[in-house]
Amino acid sequence: MAQPDGVAEGPRYVAYHWAVILATPFLLLAINPNLFINPNTNVWIDAWVNTGFFLSLPDHLIVWGHTYYSTRLSWLLPGYAVHQIFSPLVANYILHLGFFYLLISAVYLLVTAGVNRSTAFIATLLVAWNPQVIAALSWDYVDGAVITYFALTLLFLEKASTSAERWAYWALATGAAMACMVVANLVAGTLVPICGLFLLLRVSLPHWRRAASIVLVAGAGGVATLAIFGHANWQLGGNWLFLTPSLSYAGERMWVASP
């Protein structure tokens, strides 16, 4: 249950918070203009493969459709969409700044709902200025998308567990965000139990029926989201069962010793 925030709930106080949050990416860019764009390195090709998908997703589905690269549609589709509308440089910044804003907004709203607005402001700034988070949102690899979808999942779970009338809508949104998180990188499936634990902490065991209802509706939202991705992939020249390459790769690598 959120704690009272005293006088820290006035419109000017809230406006100040959002003004700082909105200004933060531009302050980061003023310090380092190279942020939010792929680094010039030949060590990792994954980020640049995603860049290719952004520029021409249908062509890359033909070449890379049999690999797990092609399955990360919750990141590839937004990237491809903005590149269809804007020039590559503008699209790049819209994509990366868009996900950055989604992340810090989700953190702010989550902590505001669960604790209070002052704590949320501090937590948001800690996330926004964290070097690892900045690095994740500054290239075309999927880790930034996973972090963002994870934060959105927790936010929607918080809303679903505390909302009396619209909990089902928030539960559907939870399932959609969780599906996007896992689709962005199948390894993010390891975060799903954490989301379940978060739900139990927010609802509590005596209200297990409420938690079960949220899980069932979230499951429907997740299945619907996967169906939408499958249809989009088919429309672009891929297969309905778009996750098959990732599942096959995971099955082959699951028992291989990690370096």
Side-chain angles (χ1 to χ4, degrees):
M1 181 67 67
Q3 299 299 315
D5 211 10
V7 297
E9 290 288 352
R12 291 185 178 180
Y13 189 83
V14 176
Y16 163 70
H17 282 185
W18 282 110
V20 174
I21 290 171
L22 292 173
T24 294
F26 297 98
L27 294 174
L28 291 169
L29 281 170
I31 296 171
N32 184 356
N34 295 315
L35 295 178
F36 305 114
I37 194 166
N38 265 347
N40 183 17
T41 175
N42 58 2
V43 176
W44 296 98
I45 70 163
D46 298 54
W48 290 102
V49 172
N50 290 338
T51 306
F53 276 103
F54 295 161
L55 294 171
S56 183
L57 183 54
D59 292 336
H60 275 64
L61 284 176
I62 296 174
V63 179
W64 298 84
H66 63 288
T67 70
Y68 63 83
Y69 293 107
S70 68
T71 66
R72 295 167 169 179
L73 295 181
S74 57
W75 177 234
L76 300 181
L77 286 174
Y80 177 63
V82 294
H83 279 80
Q84 291 299 295
I85 301 172
F86 303 98
S87 64
L89 186 60
V90 174
N92 172 83
Y93 282 110
I94 290 176
L95 178 68
H96 289 275
L97 290 176
F99 270 78
F100 189 85
Y101 276 128
L102 275 176
L103 171 61
I104 58 179
S105 298
V107 171
Y108 181 73
L109 295 172
L110 170 63
V111 183
T112 296
V115 188
N116 60 50
R117 199 175 295 277
S118 297
T119 305
F121 186 56
I122 297 171
T124 303
L125 293 181
L126 289 173
V127 171
W129 289 85
N130 183 290
Q132 295 299 324
V133 172
I134 296 170
L137 271 297
S138 286
W139 63 341
D140 286 347
Y141 192 57
V142 296
D143 48 346
V146 170
I147 295 169
T148 301
Y149 288 127
F150 180 52
L152 287 171
T153 300
L154 295 181
L155 171 62
F156 297 151
L157 274 174
E158 172 68 20
K159 294 292 188 179
S161 63
T162 57
S163 176
E165 297 179 354
R166 300 186 176 181
W167 68 269
Y169 296 104
W170 290 115
L172 284 171
T174 297
M178 189 179 297
C180 288
M181 177 183 73
V182 176
V183 167
N185 190 336
L186 203 61
V187 179
T190 56
L191 297 174
V192 173
I194 297 176
C195 297
L197 177 61
F198 179 83
L199 175 62
L200 288 177
L201 290 173
R202 300 305 292 152
V203 175
S204 76
L205 285 176
H207 300 91
W208 64 269
R209 289 185 178 85
R210 175 67 177 269
S213 298
I214 292 173
V215 169
L216 288 174
V217 176
V223 171
T225 302
L226 292 177
I228 291 171
F229 283 145
H231 180 71
N233 199 55
W234 176 72
Q235 289 282 350
L236 292 168
N239 297 319
W240 267 92
L241 300 177
F242 69 96
L243 275 177
T244 300
S246 274
L247 294 171
S248 298
Y249 184 81
E252 295 170 0
R253 294 286 175 172
M254 185 173 293
W255 308 114
V256 176
S258 171

